[in-house]
Amino acid sequence: MTFHKEGYTSLAICVLFIFVLNAFISFYFPEAHVVKWIVYILSFLLFVTIVQFFRSPKVNIDTDDKYVLCPADGKVVVIEETVETEFLKDKRIQLSVFMSPINVHINRNPIAGVVKYFKYNPGKYLVAWHPKSSTENERTTIAIENKEGVTVLFRQIAGALARRIVWYVKEGDVVEQGAQFGFIKFGSRVDVFLPLGTEIKVELGQVVKGGRTILAQLAEKPAPVKAEPVKEKAEAADASETVKTARPVKNTVNKKV
C-alpha cells in the first residue's frame, strides 16, 4: 500500500491545518483538556480520512483482450441500453460505477489499445447518481480502440464532492489494459459504453474493484465472407462468352429422297 501522488497537496494542507489548529488550542486554551482531546481526535480522523482516500493499493492485474476490466472501485448503479451521442453516436450498453468517498479513486483502462478520442467537458456538480450527471456534470470522455477494431468509450464524471478530475492520456496514446488513466477526488462516477452484443458479467448493485473485476466479455466479430476466387470467376466469364459467341453449324449433308 502506497500513497497516491495526487494526494500530496491535500495531505500537506491537512497536516498544516492540524498543526495550526492544535497549536492555537494549546496556546489559548491550555487548561481546556476536554477541548484539546476532542481536537486531537478530530485531527486524527481527518488525517486518516485523507490517507485512506488517496491510498494506492498494489493490484495484480490479469489482462485479456476479450474482457473489459472495471475502471474503478465502487458499486454498479446502472446497466442499460442507451445512445452515446458525443462520439460513437450509436446504441450502446451503458454500465456505470459509483465511487463513494471511502473507495480507492484511481481509474484504470478497461481495455488495451489506441486512444481514438479524448475530450474534457466543464459542467455542473450534480450528485453522481443523478440521471443527467453523465451529460451535464464536469467530465472527461475517452474512447479506446483495441487491435480487433472494437471501441469502448468511458467517462470520468465529477460529483457533488468531487471537484477535480485528473487524467493522464491523450489522443493517439497506446495504453495498456489495467494501467492508470486518471484520478477523481472525493466521490464520483465512471460510465462505460460497450458495444451491443457484449456479455455483461456483473449485476446491478454489485461491489466491483478497479482492474480486477471483469465487467464484460466482448462479442467475437463475425467471420468475413469468403470472396470467390479470381480464377474461378475468370473461367466462368470465359464460358459465358463462348456460349454467347457460338454459332450453329450449317448442315451440308443432302437429305436422301
Side-chain angles (χ1 to χ4, degrees):
M1 180 84 67
T2 58
F3 191 76
H4 199 275
K5 62 182 180 179
E6 298 299 339
Y8 291 163
T9 301
S10 297
L11 183 62
I13 293 174
C14 174
V15 171
L16 179 61
F17 173 76
I18 290 173
F19 175 79
V20 171
L21 177 62
N22 282 270
F24 178 84
I25 296 297
S26 297
F27 184 79
Y28 287 101
F29 305 96
E31 303 299 326
H33 299 294
V34 175
V35 174
K36 286 196 292 185
W37 274 105
I38 292 175
V39 172
Y40 292 159
I41 293 172
L42 293 177
S43 298
F44 175 76
L45 292 176
L46 177 61
F47 179 79
V48 170
T49 299
I50 295 296
V51 171
Q52 70 84 31
F53 182 85
F54 289 101
R55 69 192 185 278
S56 180
K58 184 178 179 180
V59 178
N60 295 319
I61 299 173
D62 296 323
T63 62
D64 194 320
D65 290 339
K66 67 176 179 287
Y67 292 129
V68 178
L69 296 182
C70 186
D73 286 18
K75 184 170 70 173
V76 178
V77 294
V78 174
I79 301 177
E80 64 181 12
E81 185 176 313
T82 186
V83 177
E84 199 292 306
T85 58
E86 182 176 341
F87 174 66
L88 299 171
K89 302 186 186 304
D90 62 4
K91 287 187 176 181
R92 290 272 158 160
I93 300 173
Q94 177 182 338
L95 197 154
S96 301
V97 176
F98 170 71
M99 295 177 284
S100 73
I102 63 173
N103 288 126
V104 174
H105 276 57
I106 297 170
N107 300 148
R108 300 181 181 275
N109 297 312
I111 64 171
V114 179
V115 178
K116 290 294 183 179
Y117 178 81
F118 174 86
K119 186 176 181 181
Y120 167 76
N121 297 278
K124 300 178 181 179
Y125 295 97
L126 302 173
V127 289
W129 56 84
H130 194 285
K132 293 185 177 181
S133 64
S134 182
T135 55
E136 295 187 7
N137 275 21
E138 178 187 5
R139 63 197 181 279
T140 64
T141 302
I142 304 168
I144 296 178
E145 182 181 288
N146 67 10
K147 62 183 181 181
E148 301 296 331
V150 178
T151 300
V152 172
L153 183 144
F154 45 98
R155 289 195 180 103
Q156 297 173 288
I157 303 171
L161 292 178
R163 296 302 176 106
R164 188 185 175 200
I165 297 175
V166 182
W167 60 89
Y168 311 134
V169 298
K170 62 182 183 301
E171 285 187 26
D173 284 355
V174 178
V175 298
E176 297 179 358
Q177 187 178 39
Q180 295 186 27
F181 75 84
F183 195 99
I184 315 178
K185 295 186 177 182
F186 301 112
S188 46
R189 167 177 157 178
V190 175
D191 289 350
V192 182
F193 293 84
L194 304 168
L196 297 182
T198 300
E199 182 183 352
I200 305 302
K201 297 288 190 179
V202 294
E203 299 177 350
L204 203 62
Q206 180 176 334
V207 175
V208 290
K209 297 293 184 180
R212 287 174 284 179
T213 303
I214 296 175
L215 290 185
Q217 181 175 346
L218 296 171
E220 294 184 2
K221 301 184 75 173
V225 179
K226 187 176 181 180
E228 186 180 358
V230 177
K231 184 177 179 181
E232 293 181 6
K233 286 185 177 181
E235 292 175 356
D238 290 342
S240 176
E241 188 65 25
T242 301
V243 171
K244 290 180 181 178
T245 57
R247 296 181 180 179
V249 179
K250 186 176 181 182
N251 187 0
T252 57
V253 180
N254 294 330
K255 294 181 179 180
K256 293 182 181 180
V257 179

